[in-house]
Amino acid sequence: MKYLMKLHDINIEDYNYPLPAERIASHPLAERDECKLLVRDGQGVITDHLFTDLPGLLEPDSMLIYNNTRVINARVRFRKTSGALIEVFCLEPVQPADYERSFASTDGCSWLCFVGNSKRWKDGELQLEVSVADGTTVVLTAVREQKRGNASVVRFSWDAAAGVTFSQIIDAAGEIPIPPYLNRGTEETDSSDYQTVYSHIEGSVAAPTAGLHFTPRVLDGIDASGIVRRELTLHVGAGTFQPVKTATVNEHEMHSEFISVSRELIEELARTERRVIAVGTTSVRTLESIYHLGCMAAAGMPLDEVGQWYPYDDNHPRLSRKEAMEALAAYLDKAGMDRLVASTRIIIVPGYEFKVVEGMVTNFHQPSSTLLLLVSAFTKGDWRAMYTHALDGDYRFLSYGDASLLL
């Protein structure tokens, strides 16, 4: 495959840069929309603004699309009778595999989990007494069923007679899993700070952090400017912010993430002449993935998952955005579905051809990460000028840091 062969030349060390620890924001600003906003236009010109300026920086005929996923209290700590502390980090549902059904379960469910202090929990069950918001108390039992790579399938169960859902249980028993690079424990303020103001679909184990800067006043300004707002869902997985640890990108294995997009948005993307601005790399990944799912539908392929390297495949039909979205809408019509639900492993690297996204709001990412590769792909390799400007200009980096608008 000629496209894939080019990836052998992408050395991840070329996407490294020095990031002093003091430039990593450990907490957000008191007013989240008063952070700095670096703007890079289509000619590569960089200017400095505040995030509150965003409504005036976007063209009135833009369509702003953001990820409505909500971070769950994915980290649950159990203590064995021996005193050993076992941390169970919920990653994604296994049985039932559907997020909504799993969260609504009132007697038990299985999740793929990372297990901390794993050697101290080889067999047997763990138990934790949990009092949910309405005062009902249940005993949550966890049993380790099988290993899957460096994770485990854990079966959770509790008394069905209590009428308590799994969503209520982890909300009461767990804690928000803030990124490890913040180098601190979860604090009470993270429960609100690490959620976007428009989050409402549970499932992520990390926040779509570009959205953390939005406030009701910024959204009101966007509406007043004539910009339309739309939403989609990608549940952010634990691997999203991990640095690439292989020497070359072609050796890196991408994680799978759940996406959900309404048929209405797909149809709108087929016909709109508005400029599509994605909020965050998760929205970028979702929008580009649904284009490729449309190409897969046109080719008669199953629409379960966008493969990591499918966008670069020589056999890719390379349809127009309109053709791909129309093929996807036709597929949903035939299946009697009003919503596309699938998974994606897409990796966006320099050389990728963007088919949907024409602008993005994003944060400043870790060195040697797939997110930085995505930014490089969008800026045609000009990421380093931005990051040098941000470092020289005292911008704050990573999840709670400042933002950028790339056009």
Side-chain angles (χ1 to χ4, degrees):
M1 296 182 183
K2 63 181 181 181
Y3 284 95
L4 288 183
M5 289 303 293
K6 294 178 182 178
L7 298 182
H8 289 267
D9 297 330
I10 299 179
N11 188 326
I12 194 59
E13 187 57 33
D14 293 337
Y15 298 86
N16 198 359
Y17 69 93
L19 178 58
E22 62 270 18
R23 303 303 293 277
I24 299 173
S26 59
H27 295 85
L29 298 178
E31 298 293 334
R32 61 168 74 187
D33 61 5
E34 292 183 357
C35 68
K36 294 182 178 182
L37 176 67
L38 180 152
V39 177
R40 180 192 182 277
D41 68 15
Q43 286 69 51
V45 177
I46 296 171
T47 53
D48 299 306
H49 302 266
L50 294 178
F51 198 82
T52 48
D53 299 332
L54 181 66
L57 294 168
L58 298 176
E59 295 294 332
D61 65 348
S62 297
M63 177 187 293
L64 190 74
I65 303 180
Y66 50 75
N67 186 0
N68 61 18
T69 189
R70 186 166 182 81
V71 183
I72 62 173
N73 288 3
R75 183 177 283 122
V76 183
R77 291 185 171 92
F78 294 83
R79 191 169 293 279
K80 296 185 69 176
T81 53
S82 65
L85 187 66
I86 309 296
E87 181 181 289
V88 178
F89 190 128
C90 298
L91 298 174
E92 61 183 54
V94 174
Q95 183 60 40
D98 178 82
Y99 280 85
E100 186 174 351
R101 289 174 56 211
S102 186
F103 286 127
S105 175
T106 55
D107 60 353
C109 54
S110 296
W111 279 64
L112 186 66
C113 304
F114 287 144
V115 177
N117 204 9
S118 179
K119 293 180 180 179
R120 302 296 296 274
W121 185 31
K122 294 181 179 179
D123 52 35
E125 60 184 35
L126 303 176
Q127 291 192 329
L128 178 67
E129 188 174 281
V130 181
S131 294
V132 300
D134 66 2
T136 304
T137 298
V138 297
V139 175
L140 177 65
T141 299
V143 176
R144 201 171 180 182
E145 293 187 323
Q146 58 178 286
K147 287 274 291 179
R148 286 193 186 176
N150 61 347
S152 298
V153 175
V154 175
R155 179 70 185 175
F156 299 103
S157 59
W158 59 97
D159 186 1
V164 175
T165 66
F166 186 61
S167 177
Q168 290 176 289
I169 287 174
I170 61 168
D171 188 54
E175 64 180 44
I176 289 284
I178 62 171
Y181 51 63
L182 295 185
N183 291 315
R184 63 172 176 82
T186 300
E187 299 172 6
E188 187 175 345
T189 53
D190 291 314
S191 295
S192 57
D193 289 343
Y194 202 57
Q195 300 283 9
T196 63
V197 295
Y198 43 71
S199 66
H200 62 96
I201 304 296
E202 291 185 305
S204 280
V205 300
T209 55
L212 296 180
H213 309 292
F214 285 84
T215 60
R217 68 172 171 176
V218 171
L219 295 175
D220 288 346
I222 287 167
D223 294 341
S225 298
I227 299 161
V228 301
R229 292 191 281 128
R230 300 291 184 262
E231 59 184 51
L232 44 71
T233 304
L234 180 144
H235 289 324
V236 188
T240 297
F241 305 112
Q242 294 300 312
V244 178
K245 296 180 180 179
T246 57
T248 54
V249 176
N250 62 296
E251 299 172 328
H252 178 71
E253 183 176 348
M254 286 293 288
H255 52 287
S256 179
E257 292 176 310
F258 168 96
I259 60 175
S260 175
V261 183
S262 69
R263 184 186 185 282
E264 184 179 8
L265 178 57
I266 291 167
E267 287 185 327
E268 192 170 7
L269 289 170
R271 65 177 186 267
T272 189
E273 294 183 2
R274 288 179 176 269
R275 191 179 201 184
V276 176
I277 309 295
V279 177
T281 56
T282 62
S283 296
V284 173
R285 284 165 50 76
T286 305
L287 289 166
E288 294 298 316
S289 291
I290 62 174
Y291 162 78
H292 295 293
L293 285 163
C295 292
M296 291 164 66
M301 299 169 62
L303 303 192
D304 50 353
E305 184 174 80
V306 180
Q308 177 169 335
W309 303 116
Y310 177 67
Y312 312 92
D313 195 313
D314 288 341
N315 295 317
H316 193 295
R318 311 199 188 285
L319 305 178
S320 68
R321 182 175 83 185
K322 184 175 186 292
E323 290 170 333
M325 297 302 166
E326 287 178 343
L328 200 49
Y331 169 87
L332 294 175
D333 280 346
K334 186 175 181 180
M337 300 163 60
D338 62 3
R339 177 166 289 274
L340 171 70
V341 176
S343 297
T344 183
R345 290 184 183 272
I346 189 173
I347 185 169
I348 297 178
V349 300
Y352 178 86
E353 297 178 11
F354 287 84
K355 294 294 187 178
V356 182
V357 176
E358 296 160 281
M360 74 175 77
V361 178
T362 189
N363 284 11
F364 294 94
H365 305 295
Q366 290 187 86
S368 305
S369 64
T370 57
L371 305 184
L372 187 54
L373 289 168
L374 185 153
V375 169
S376 179
F378 191 80
T379 59
K380 307 296 185 185
D382 195 33
W383 69 272
R384 197 174 290 276
M386 288 171 46
Y387 277 61
T388 299
H389 182 96
L391 286 165
D392 291 344
D394 204 32
Y395 278 71
R396 301 158 76 243
F397 279 61
L398 307 187
S399 295
Y400 279 146
D402 294 315
S404 64
L405 170 63
L406 314 180
L407 300 168

